[in-house]
Amino acid sequence: MDFSIDTEQKALRDAARELASRRAPQHGEGDVPVGPAPHDADTWSALAEVGALGLPFAEDVGGFGASAVEVSLVATELGKAGVRTAYADALIAGSLLATAGSDLLESVTDGSALVVPAMAEPDRAWSITTSSVTAEGADDSWKLTGEKSPVPYADAASHVVVPASVEGGLAIFLVEGPTAAGGGVTFDGTAATLLIGPDNGAAALSQAINLGIVTLCAEALGAMEGASTMTVEYLKTRKQFGVPLMSFQTLTQRAADMYVSLELARSTALFAAMAISDDPSDSTTASRAKVVVGQSGRHIGQESIQLHGGIGMTAEYAVGHLVTRLTAIERTFGDTRQHLASLASTLSDHEQVDILS
Amino acid sequence: MQRRLSQEDAAFQQRMRDFFTTEVPADLRERWAAGGEPDPDDMRASQRALNKADLAVPHWPAEFGGQDWTMLQRHIYLQEMQAASVPPPLAFNANMVGPVIAAFGSQAQKERFLPPTANLDIWWCQGFSEPDAGSDLASLRTTAVKDGDEWVVNGQKTWTTLGQHADWIFALVRTDPDAPKKQMGISFLLIEMSSPGVTVRPIQLIDGGHEVNEVFFDNVRVPADHLVGEVNKGWDYAKFLLGNERVGVAPVGSIKRRLADAKQYAAAVQTEHGTLLEDPLLAARIAELEAQVMALELTVLRVAANSREGKPDPASSILKLRGSQLQQDVLELIVDIAGPAGLDWSTDDWEGLAAPTYLNFRKASIYGGSNEVQRQVISSGILGLRG
């Protein structure tokens, strides 16, 4: 068990940090965009240039032969700087393309194609085992019917990867040039290519989502670290009643609790990346990490705003944007409730959690 | 980064597991696992079995029985010991006074005290807290005045854990009442409990147990060479000791053991819709605790590896804070699982022990530096927030 990173990983992290600092959104007075960010082609090609987009995929399918650990290092830096991208989404799509042996993966890793998964559905809780989108057809002729929404980055995507119900289970399809409207994608007898059939669809999707989850956990870790650092700095410098805020013990004790949450989340996010690199199908660890990071993110996010006071509420100050992102991450690829429910249903499978074997 | 244990560490883990589950008598481990008041004879038997195998004081210097282990190995050792419900070496001996004597004691003190301390031939208790000096330990008032080649000790200590079994007490005493700061002028003194003038009075706790005591000193005469290190430097030794105390202070193995027990208990309690383990609310609570305990254990491994030998690492405050919270959460879960059966304290099965144990462990966030003190250590020591 070792949490330290090697020289090559340090170099990757430094490159990602440099990229993130150049690409960090500038907040200030005026009309600052809030909420989900649109796709930024320049940031995307910068990510492709440092090799971030192909990190976890084997070289023989067009990847760079690194692992989820390297992905996490990059995602943490993006999260810390508040750079919002389709990184986790593209890795999920990439993972499915890799499983399918699709040539498109090379265009994903060099940044020329933006492929994202279309997962969420209107009026349905998150699920990776069912889909109300259905597929009919055979061989090279498949047609999809139904709706996926919201599908982040669908408007900029060259393709979407869609889990759909077929006879025999869940299959994974690729749709080129999706028609995005209202934040989602509607399929109405839309032509699609079968990537992975119903025998392996659910398992491949689960592995891909696990990679997405550890990526998001790492991004959340970065955002939590960014928000915590800003909050501590604010307590040191901001004066009220003639003294710095840190003169008030109730505030410093709450900052200490934020730090505890941060370090627990850090251990967990790093471990989850190692675990998924070792065994991409380890959904239990991914779910535990999502729960810990979700709860830490909620705690740190809420306290960051509270300890900043009114300034934390403003669009011109970065901390609120980090909290916005944490709020979104907790609800992406399964929320805390869904992951807890899934963990709760498998309690009898083990006597206790064993991380050392 | 490396997730798996190395072959060497995996072999070490197996060796510990084999030892704890075969060499420490099962009946003794069962009594310990059941909880309730510790049996001093069991604690002696356990520590002596460990010491015989050089496993009682692995973090001491090698010449006094220590092992050259990594922090990871130390964690594995503690984890396996707790998983097997082996009574751990008495903390006052193994983690507190032993390392202080080894680091700061005279050669004569080391030779005289360390072997019997490792073997629990001497049972130590801790004389730090006083009625007006708990978290604010430096306010202590018990005095030691030099008279010839003896110290004359007067005052009162409190919260003296298991002091009723103790042969000796290591006490912080004020040797210079005129020192410019209250942390100065304090010395570290070893006092035999059988000395004339020492009185032990039990304090009964809300769980009905007798775990802590008040200790009174009335003109107790202590040979001068029972002072450890230099006179008036006791605060430094106390800080060293408290730093040691926080190493391994998150009892991850015990928490996991109790959580596994809780699942078993829940599976045995019937509800209108099956067992309590199948109840969605309770199952979610257990799943959440498992995830949080995992986060704690990972943090123990990550933080302990960076622990600076001999100096209290402020990061260890994270482990104390979170470890005590989760320990309390799991015991709270068990008392909830027991439900109405926990109202009857007269039985010594798990239901009967659930509520007293839950109440007893409210202590965990108070002793060893309260959780508020730990937050203070984190905010000033790590975050640099100083009012």
Side-chain angles (χ1 to χ4, degrees):
Chain A
M1 178 71 75
D2 178 8
F3 285 88
S4 57
I5 59 173
D6 64 25
T7 321
E8 238 175 282
Q9 291 169 329
K10 273 200 185 87
L12 175 69
R13 185 196 61 190
D14 292 347
R17 185 171 295 174
E18 202 269 333
L19 182 158
S21 72
R22 274 190 293 115
R23 296 281 151 197
Q26 301 301 311
H27 306 298
E29 287 177 44
D31 201 7
V32 182
V34 295
H39 181 65
D40 171 1
D42 290 343
T43 301
W44 201 248
S45 47
L47 272 176
E49 272 166 38
V50 298
L53 302 183
L55 282 173
F57 310 123
E59 288 176 47
D60 59 5
V61 291
F64 300 124
S67 76
V69 170
E70 281 76 12
V71 167
S72 289
L73 296 174
V74 173
T76 302
E77 296 304 324
L78 295 176
K80 207 188 305 181
V83 181
R84 295 188 202 178
T85 70
Y87 194 38
D89 309 77
L91 291 173
I92 289 176
S95 170
L96 291 165
L97 293 171
T99 303
S102 163
D103 292 341
L104 186 59
L105 184 62
E106 278 186 52
S107 308
V108 168
T109 61
D110 70 17
S112 56
L114 178 66
V115 187
V116 296
M119 295 286 303
E121 296 175 9
D123 304 320
R124 276 174 75 102
W126 171 259
S127 170
I128 60 166
T129 54
T130 58
S131 173
S132 64
V133 170
T134 54
E136 284 186 334
D139 299 329
D140 292 340
S141 172
W142 287 90
K143 295 197 186 311
L144 301 187
T145 305
E147 186 186 356
K148 294 283 186 183
S149 180
V151 183
Y153 306 105
D155 54 346
S158 58
H159 307 71
V160 289
V161 173
V162 191
S165 298
V166 296
E167 205 180 304
L170 194 72
I172 312 295
F173 294 88
L174 182 70
V175 172
E176 191 173 354
T179 320
V185 182
T186 303
F187 307 100
D188 183 12
T190 306
T193 310
L194 178 73
L195 284 178
I196 304 165
D199 290 348
N200 306 316
L205 182 61
S206 168
Q207 293 197 9
I209 295 296
N210 288 343
L211 176 62
I213 285 174
V214 300
T215 308
L216 277 193
C217 284
E219 189 188 334
L221 173 66
M224 284 186 256
E225 194 178 329
S228 298
T229 305
M230 270 178 227
T231 304
V232 167
E233 197 51 39
Y234 191 75
L235 293 177
K236 286 180 186 172
T237 50
R238 169 74 170 164
K239 285 191 174 178
Q240 292 275 272
F241 307 104
V243 291
L245 286 178
M246 67 177 166
S247 308
F248 302 103
Q249 198 179 44
T250 185
L251 303 183
T252 60
Q253 296 238 333
R254 285 165 70 168
D257 279 331
M258 288 170 67
Y259 184 78
V260 172
S261 279
L262 174 66
E263 291 308 309
L264 291 165
R266 188 190 308 282
S267 313
T268 308
L270 288 171
F271 175 74
M274 289 191 262
I276 292 303
S277 300
D278 257 16
D279 174 8
S281 69
D282 186 355
S283 302
T284 303
T285 299
S287 283
R288 289 196 182 112
K290 192 73 170 49
V291 166
V292 169
V293 168
Q295 292 179 332
S296 309
R298 200 182 285 207
H299 173 215
I300 289 172
Q302 291 174 356
E303 290 291 78
S304 292
I305 291 182
Q306 182 68 24
L307 297 189
H308 271 88
I311 193 83
M313 296 293 299
T314 64
E316 66 188 58
Y317 195 80
V319 83
H321 296 271
L322 293 174
V323 179
T324 305
R325 182 63 187 138
L326 287 169
T327 306
I329 286 174
E330 196 190 342
R331 277 108 195 138
T332 303
F333 309 152
D335 61 10
T336 300
R337 178 209 62 80
Q338 185 269 328
H339 285 288
L340 270 181
S342 139
L343 291 168
S345 69
T346 55
L347 279 182
S348 305
D349 300 354
H350 55 275
E351 191 194 8
Q352 50 179 271
V353 178
D354 189 359
I355 58 170
L356 283 177
S357 62
Chain B
M1 284 195 253
Q2 178 60 45
R3 183 217 165 154
R4 305 268 171 202
L5 287 181
S6 67
Q7 269 192 333
E8 192 192 346
D9 286 333
F12 177 86
Q13 183 184 41
Q14 193 57 50
R15 182 159 73 83
M16 292 298 127
R17 190 168 295 179
D18 291 345
F19 179 85
F20 291 132
T21 53
T22 58
E23 298 297 315
V24 181
D27 59 329
L28 188 159
R29 292 189 286 117
E30 277 161 26
R31 283 193 292 274
W32 185 261
E37 269 201 52
D39 176 344
D41 290 335
D42 279 356
M43 293 177 69
R44 285 195 191 89
S46 178
Q47 183 155 342
R48 284 168 192 168
L50 297 183
N51 198 36
K52 203 171 158 195
D54 293 327
L55 294 176
V57 289
H59 51 295
W60 286 16
E63 56 173 320
F64 298 110
Q67 303 280 344
D68 188 19
W69 285 349
T70 61
M71 288 306 295
L72 175 57
Q73 287 173 324
R74 181 128 185 253
H75 172 79
I76 293 170
Y77 155 84
L78 288 172
Q79 162 85 23
E80 294 298 330
M81 183 192 298
Q82 292 168 8
S85 300
V86 170
L90 187 65
F92 306 108
N93 287 37
N95 302 342
M96 300 187 189
V97 75
V100 167
I101 292 176
F104 306 107
S106 66
Q107 191 56 33
Q109 286 170 342
K110 292 178 193 176
E111 286 167 15
R112 174 175 177 190
F113 289 112
L114 290 180
T117 296
N119 207 45
L120 200 46
D121 297 333
I122 296 178
W123 186 303
W124 289 93
C125 65
Q126 182 187 41
F128 279 17
S129 296
E130 298 186 3
D132 291 320
S135 288
D136 180 16
L137 186 55
S139 295
L140 62 91
R141 289 203 299 246
T142 296
T143 57
V145 177
K146 195 73 176 283
D147 180 24
D149 55 1
E150 288 179 326
W151 293 97
V152 180
V153 180
N154 280 286
Q156 181 196 349
K157 295 292 176 181
T158 192
W159 311 127
T160 311
T161 304
L162 303 180
Q164 69 270 37
H165 307 305
D167 307 302
W168 286 74
I169 183 169
F170 54 94
L172 289 178
V173 291
R174 193 162 293 284
T175 38
D176 179 5
D178 302 321
K181 281 176 71 180
K182 63 181 184 177
Q183 285 84 356
M184 299 159 81
I186 292 172
S187 298
F188 195 102
L189 196 59
L190 312 178
I191 305 170
E192 206 160 359
M193 294 294 277
S194 60
S195 311
V198 176
T199 310
V200 178
R201 191 185 80 79
I203 302 173
Q204 200 183 16
L205 298 181
I206 50 174
D207 62 344
H210 172 197
E211 186 174 56
V212 290
N213 304 270
E214 292 180 292
V215 178
F216 298 89
F217 301 96
D218 180 14
N219 285 318
V220 177
R221 303 191 78 84
V222 180
D225 63 359
H226 288 181
L227 187 129
V228 175
E230 290 178 49
V231 74
N232 295 335
K233 288 279 170 66
W235 188 250
D236 295 342
Y237 313 146
K239 277 202 301 187
F240 170 88
L241 174 154
L242 292 170
N244 279 323
E245 189 184 26
R246 281 183 207 129
V247 172
V249 79
V252 170
S254 298
I255 297 172
K256 285 167 73 170
R257 176 75 259 149
R258 301 297 293 179
L259 191 51
D261 291 344
K263 283 163 70 168
Q264 272 192 1
Y265 302 154
V269 175
Q270 299 300 316
T271 69
E272 293 152 314
H273 308 288
T275 73
L276 208 43
L277 190 61
E278 292 156 356
D279 176 80
L281 281 180
L282 192 90
R285 208 167 135 197
I286 293 174
E288 187 178 353
L289 282 167
E290 285 190 341
Q292 290 171 344
V293 174
M294 180 185 89
L296 174 68
E297 183 175 11
L298 290 164
T299 308
V300 168
L301 288 165
R302 195 167 62 82
V303 168
N306 297 326
S307 188
R308 296 166 296 176
E309 271 308 310
K311 280 192 186 161
D313 182 343
S316 64
S317 289
I318 297 173
L319 310 182
K320 165 65 172 65
L321 187 58
R322 199 65 191 128
S324 57
Q325 286 172 336
L326 283 176
Q327 192 173 23
Q328 292 175 334
D329 288 349
V330 171
L331 295 171
E332 187 182 333
L333 170 75
I334 291 174
V335 79
D336 286 345
I337 292 170
L343 299 176
D344 177 5
W345 293 18
S346 67
T347 67
D348 58 359
D349 53 16
W350 72 268
E351 288 114 321
L353 287 167
T357 307
Y358 157 75
L359 291 166
N360 180 278
F361 272 86
R362 302 317 298 171
K363 69 189 176 187
S365 47
I366 300 169
Y367 66 40
S370 72
N371 282 9
E372 287 67 34
V373 168
Q374 304 304 335
R375 289 188 181 94
Q376 202 60 30
V377 171
I378 293 167
S379 65
S380 69
I382 300 179
L383 302 178
L385 294 170
R386 298 189 183 88

